Amino acid sequence: MGRFKGRRSAPSLESVAGNGLINRRALLGQGFAIAGAGAVAGATGAAAEPLQDYPWSLEFGQSTPALQSPSKFEKQVTRTLSNPKDELRNSHARTPHHLLNGTVTPNSMHFSINHCGIPDIDPQQHKLVIHGMVRQPLEFTLDKLSRYPLTTRMAFVECAGNSAPMFSNEPMQITAQAIHGLVSNSEWTGVRLSTLLDEAGIDPKAKWLVAEGADAQMLDRSIPVKKAYDDALVAIYQNGERLMPGNGYPMRLLVPGYQGNMNVKFLRRIKAVDQPAMTFFETKNYSQILPGGKTWRFHFLMEVKSFITYPSFSHQLKEPGMYTISGVAYSGAGRISRVMVSADGGKSWGEAALQGPTHPQAFTRFVMPWRWDGQPAVLQSRAWDESGNAQPLRADFVAARGQTKQPVTNPLIFPNQHYNSITSWGVDNKGEIKHVYA
């Protein structure tokens, strides 16, 4: 008699690194069981008893709404606001990464930064103009753009100031939302910018585009023409529906992998020119200062990065046993190729499983099985991209780009930009989690 074909043997729960990290292959089959298989204490015979009928099972439910909203039991899953009283200044809304999963950020949870409020744009009157060094200036309405062949792709958008609290010389005790909430990932649909530039007949001598938004501050940024032809879109849909007002309705620029403010929202003008415009936003707000006082003239690319979303600060491990460490990784240079996870503060590492498909310049979710023994642990993740770039260790990052001399006490300020080093979560023997540097 032969073996039963198609029946897989249960993967072993072999350790691959210190402090209880389990081989990621345990996630592929039947070997990773939380309840009922003895992996953790607490399995009982309750499942064999008749189910209790709760009130919601004994009465007719609510009517079906035209527009769904989350359950009232999920009301804590919201963005946090930097300007809740709507004062006349900029405002930030951060994504609650520690309360989400998967790779697509819901539209209502996508981070948003608005320097001059959210304009109330009538899509019937809004126009996009392409002019400057072109053979024929063109004007587009939302309706006209919608008639072009549309392209859909996944892409993250990240503020250059995301993770700024990590520049503090002491770790701040705040959530992954407060640290990393200025990055989100969506499926974007729009018209290739190259299609529109070809139709306008861009001059070969034009090397830059100046993109301008229709908000009251008219945020504008210089975009290399090469990037426009590589993969830029004029996006008009986000996750299958029209853009949210705070994310650029009715149209925005999408330059995958480049810093967030270059993805100009409320897009109304693209001017072809032969040199960068050196606008206010690219010479002051988004110029990164290095140790020694020098400043990068431009720093467009958002570098390879990862962070653990579960477990993380504000979560608590209630008992020793099996857990799944989970987080997101991304790189402006392409696809994520590998994520390593440590449970002992970087002394040893195990390779995490990547949940596919992996898209370039987009979130990749990684997962790692972990058997927590109730003793202190330090959880970390480190990512590599397909270009061979590695997420830097904190000591190396601080040596190159600096940190504050005094502890930062306000998580809403921006000591510097483009932080992409490792985030560490310390677990104590009570299962409580703190932000630590390791």
Side-chain angles (χ1 to χ4, degrees):
M1 296 291 289
R3 296 180 178 176
F4 289 104
K5 294 182 178 179
R7 174 175 290 183
R8 293 179 297 182
S9 59
S12 66
L13 299 180
E14 62 174 314
S15 296
V16 293
N19 249 359
L21 290 183
I22 304 298
N23 193 311
R24 69 187 190 280
R25 289 196 295 272
L27 298 168
L28 303 177
Q30 302 165 353
F32 188 81
I34 292 295
V40 297
T44 70
E49 299 174 358
L51 288 172
Q52 179 178 348
D53 290 328
Y54 291 98
W56 53 80
S57 297
L58 301 174
E59 60 186 11
F60 203 87
Q62 298 177 350
S63 59
T64 302
L67 189 63
Q68 292 197 102
S69 58
S71 163
K72 64 181 181 182
F73 298 104
E74 301 296 325
K75 62 182 180 182
Q76 79 282 7
V77 186
T78 62
R79 302 187 301 179
T80 52
L81 304 178
S82 66
N83 186 7
K85 296 181 180 179
D86 196 24
E87 298 167 345
L88 290 177
R89 57 182 174 86
N90 62 9
S91 59
H92 308 72
R94 288 171 164 81
T95 297
H97 290 294
H98 62 305
L99 302 175
L100 300 176
N101 212 305
T103 56
V104 176
T105 309
N107 286 351
S108 60
M109 299 291 172
H110 198 285
F111 92 90
S112 183
I113 300 176
N114 293 288
H115 293 278
C116 203
I118 301 173
D120 185 17
I121 297 177
D122 181 348
Q124 300 298 321
Q125 299 185 44
H126 181 83
K127 294 180 176 61
L128 166 64
V129 173
I130 296 180
H131 67 129
M133 297 175 66
V134 297
R135 184 181 64 250
Q136 177 185 3
L138 297 176
E139 182 179 282
F140 301 91
T141 62
L142 179 61
D143 180 65
K144 187 176 180 180
L145 281 179
S146 302
R147 291 159 55 189
Y148 281 81
L150 300 180
T151 295
T152 297
R153 64 156 298 164
M154 300 289 290
F156 74 86
V157 176
E158 181 177 30
C159 172
N162 190 37
S163 315
M166 299 291 289
F167 282 101
S168 173
N169 68 340
E170 291 186 5
M172 303 184 72
Q173 299 309 313
I174 52 179
T175 64
Q177 178 177 24
I179 297 174
H180 302 301
L182 296 179
V183 62
S184 305
N185 191 72
S186 289
E187 181 191 79
W188 304 93
T189 300
V191 184
R192 292 183 184 277
L193 181 53
S194 59
T195 300
L196 305 180
L197 294 175
D198 282 344
E199 187 172 341
I202 187 169
D203 188 326
K205 295 179 182 177
K207 303 300 180 186
W208 293 84
L209 305 172
V210 183
E212 178 185 277
D215 53 317
Q217 209 169 16
M218 297 178 185
L219 188 149
D220 50 359
R221 287 300 310 261
S222 301
I223 313 292
V225 168
K226 183 179 184 307
K227 179 63 174 176
Y229 273 86
D230 283 347
D231 55 6
L233 295 181
V234 177
I236 56 177
Y237 290 94
Q238 179 182 3
N239 296 331
E241 63 180 1
R242 293 292 190 187
L243 305 179
M244 286 285 179
N247 288 112
Y249 183 84
M251 58 186 72
R252 72 176 300 170
L253 195 59
L254 180 71
V255 283
Y258 278 20
Q259 59 179 234
N261 66 92
M262 298 177 72
N263 299 263
V264 175
K265 299 187 292 188
F266 326 114
L267 186 64
R268 74 166 191 169
R269 184 198 305 271
I270 294 176
K271 184 178 182 180
V273 295
D274 60 0
Q275 56 186 310
M278 306 304 288
T279 68
F280 171 83
F281 291 98
E282 59 200 33
T283 57
K284 181 183 180 298
N285 273 31
Y286 298 103
S287 294
Q288 184 177 355
I289 300 175
L290 301 172
K294 291 187 176 181
T295 301
W296 271 318
R297 185 182 186 189
F298 293 122
H299 191 170
F300 297 155
L301 192 72
M302 302 310 296
E303 296 152 294
V304 61
K305 186 171 178 177
S306 70
F307 55 87
I308 293 170
T309 56
Y310 179 85
S312 62
F313 183 86
S314 84
H315 298 143
Q316 181 168 19
L317 307 184
K318 295 182 178 179
E319 59 188 359
M322 296 296 294
Y323 291 86
T324 302
I325 298 170
S326 178
V328 294
Y330 52 96
S331 172
R335 292 178 175 81
I336 290 298
S337 60
R338 182 164 55 112
V339 176
M340 304 296 285
V341 170
S342 176
D344 54 14
K347 296 176 183 175
S348 62
W349 297 84
E351 186 167 358
L354 305 184
Q355 295 183 334
T358 58
H359 299 281
Q361 293 99 19
F363 277 8
T364 294
R365 171 121 344 230
F366 64 87
V367 291
M368 186 79 186
W370 177 44
R371 183 190 288 113
W372 181 50
D373 62 3
Q375 297 302 306
V378 176
L379 306 181
Q380 298 176 311
S381 65
R382 189 182 188 195
W384 280 256
D385 65 27
E386 61 183 351
S387 297
N389 301 304
Q391 188 175 6
L393 301 174
R394 180 169 174 83
D396 297 335
F397 181 88
V398 169
R401 303 193 186 174
Q403 64 177 355
T404 63
K405 295 181 179 178
Q406 299 294 327
V408 176
T409 57
N410 181 356
L412 300 180
I413 68 172
F414 296 89
N416 215 326
Q417 302 173 19
H418 283 268
Y419 184 93
N420 74 316
S421 184
I422 290 171
T423 303
S424 304
W425 304 115
V427 183
D428 68 15
N429 55 12
K430 297 179 181 178
E432 295 178 348
I433 300 174
K434 291 185 176 180
H435 180 211
V436 299
Y437 288 159

